[in-house]
Amino acid sequence: MSVPVQRKRAVELEKLIEQVPVWAGEAGLTLLPALPEPAGLRVRLEGDEVNAAAFCDLARTCGARILYLLSEAFEAAEFAVLEDDDSDGDGVEEQLSADARRELERIRRTALTRDGQFTGVFLCFVAEGVAHYWCEVAPWHTELEEDWAQFTALNRASQGARAEDAQARAAAEVDRIAAELAGNPEFRSAAKRSHHHDIAATAYPPPADADDDQLQEHQRIVRWATSQAIDAVEQAGRRIYAGYERDLNGLAEQIAAAGIVADATTVAARSLLLSVFLTEKSSGYPPPKRFMDLLMLRPPLRKPRKNSSITGQLPLD
């Protein structure tokens, strides 16, 4: 539809708003500048079905006493506004492609030419419990709303795709770091979770030029990867030592034959030497306490008790 026709319809709406009070007065109707919310039975008519003058006559014929009138003026500043989400980073407009930004500017320029014009006129009367609605909407406003609906639908989809891509990249980075940490003997042998996190933070420092948002994202990824690596190490360790536990006697005999704890004189020393041996044997997985206790109870590794019996006879007085 050409611009001159749209402007003509805009002028017709202005004249219509001026004429409705005259027609209402001739029909004995009281005007109220409001529009009741649709509820219950209702009828909807449009300008190409019944004109406004005929609608006022219909209200009088039906015995209505009140005619509701609502007109809306267009505010360009409130149109084509993209609401930023609550996430960190650039706003919604900054995430748009170059083509999308140009289309957004086109829609806003078109909207600005319509600032202050009436978008529509709405009439209503109620008779015998049925609300009768009539409206005349400016075609330019309908076209502008359709353009905006199409724009937002397309760009919501693209923003969603970008968000999914960002999440996928972050998840892939987490998997990569977690796998590397789980393959690090120093990480596997760490005794406490705080040690695991220290090792990870040292191995994966943030970029030197990272801003606050990038720093927080990097730290989140490293923490997530560290937790994932810890779980992987614990699961692998449980599997390894469950296999060792099926032949504790054989393992104990191997350790005794190698003299791993032969020179240890205290329980603490024996535990330390056994832990070091088992960690090396398992490629960096420290033994659980329960496994250590069971292993040290095997006969080949029991520390012989000192002979406390008294040999010989004590001299008699």
Side-chain angles (χ1 to χ4, degrees):
M1 185 173 290
S2 64
V3 173
V5 174
Q6 292 178 341
R7 289 179 177 173
K8 181 179 179 182
R9 181 61 64 89
V11 173
E12 289 176 351
L13 289 180
E14 293 177 358
K15 291 182 177 179
L16 182 61
I17 294 170
E18 296 175 355
Q19 293 172 334
V20 166
V22 177
W23 296 329
E26 292 174 351
L29 301 170
T30 300
L31 273 180
L32 281 182
L35 200 69
E37 292 291 335
L41 297 176
R42 56 188 180 275
V43 176
R44 178 184 173 88
L45 300 172
E46 296 185 2
D48 56 354
E49 298 170 329
V50 177
N51 61 34
F55 187 79
C56 292
D57 287 339
L58 178 63
R60 176 178 56 186
T61 302
C62 293
R65 302 287 299 277
I66 296 175
L67 181 68
Y68 300 93
L69 167 64
L70 181 66
S71 59
E72 296 180 345
F74 184 67
E75 297 184 14
E78 297 182 1
F79 189 76
V81 176
L82 289 172
E83 297 292 339
D84 288 340
D85 56 24
D86 295 331
S87 62
D88 296 333
D90 294 335
V92 173
E93 288 196 32
E94 285 73 12
Q95 299 177 38
L96 295 175
S97 66
D99 289 341
R101 292 187 189 184
R102 284 192 291 270
E103 177 63 11
L104 178 60
E105 288 303 317
R106 183 195 68 79
I107 292 174
R108 286 174 174 172
R109 286 195 302 270
T110 303
L112 192 60
T113 65
R114 300 296 181 179
D115 190 44
Q117 295 184 12
F118 288 105
T119 61
V121 178
F122 305 88
L123 302 175
C124 177
F125 70 84
V126 180
E128 298 182 1
V130 179
H132 297 70
Y133 292 90
W134 178 93
C135 69
E136 181 73 57
V137 179
W140 63 262
H141 187 254
T142 300
E143 293 179 6
L144 199 56
E145 289 282 1
E146 290 174 351
D147 284 350
W148 180 239
Q150 183 178 11
F151 176 86
T152 54
L154 288 174
N155 286 280
R156 272 199 302 269
S158 61
Q159 290 167 19
R162 285 194 295 273
E164 290 178 1
D165 288 345
Q167 292 176 356
R169 287 194 299 271
E173 183 70 357
V174 167
D175 290 343
R176 181 186 70 83
I177 294 176
E180 292 177 357
L181 287 173
N184 183 344
E186 181 186 5
F187 183 89
R188 289 201 297 261
S189 62
K192 298 181 180 179
R193 284 183 173 260
S194 59
H195 297 165
H196 287 118
H197 285 281
D198 289 343
I199 293 169
T202 302
Y204 299 95
D209 57 348
D211 58 25
D212 290 342
D213 293 336
Q214 292 170 333
L215 178 61
Q216 291 179 6
E217 177 66 7
H218 174 81
Q219 292 173 340
R220 184 184 70 84
I221 288 175
V222 173
R223 286 196 300 269
W224 184 6
T226 303
S227 297
Q228 188 168 304
I230 291 172
D231 291 341
V233 167
E234 290 178 346
Q235 291 176 11
R238 283 194 292 270
R239 288 194 299 269
I240 290 172
Y241 284 97
Y244 291 164
E245 193 171 325
R246 286 194 287 270
D247 188 16
L248 276 179
N249 287 330
L251 179 60
E253 291 173 358
Q254 175 188 350
I255 294 172
I260 301 299
V261 295
D263 297 330
T265 59
T266 65
V267 173
R270 290 163 62 82
S271 297
L272 177 60
L273 291 173
L274 281 175
S275 179
V276 171
F277 169 78
L278 292 170
T279 300
E280 292 178 354
K281 177 180 174 62
S282 63
S283 300
Y285 295 94
K289 183 179 182 303
R290 174 182 176 278
F291 181 87
M292 288 285 291
D293 292 342
L294 292 174
L295 180 61
M296 293 179 69
L297 290 175
R298 299 298 93 189
L301 295 180
R302 288 180 183 174
K303 185 178 180 181
R305 296 180 180 179
K306 292 182 179 180
N307 188 356
S308 59
S309 61
I310 300 176
T311 60
Q313 292 183 343
L314 295 175
L316 296 176
D317 292 336

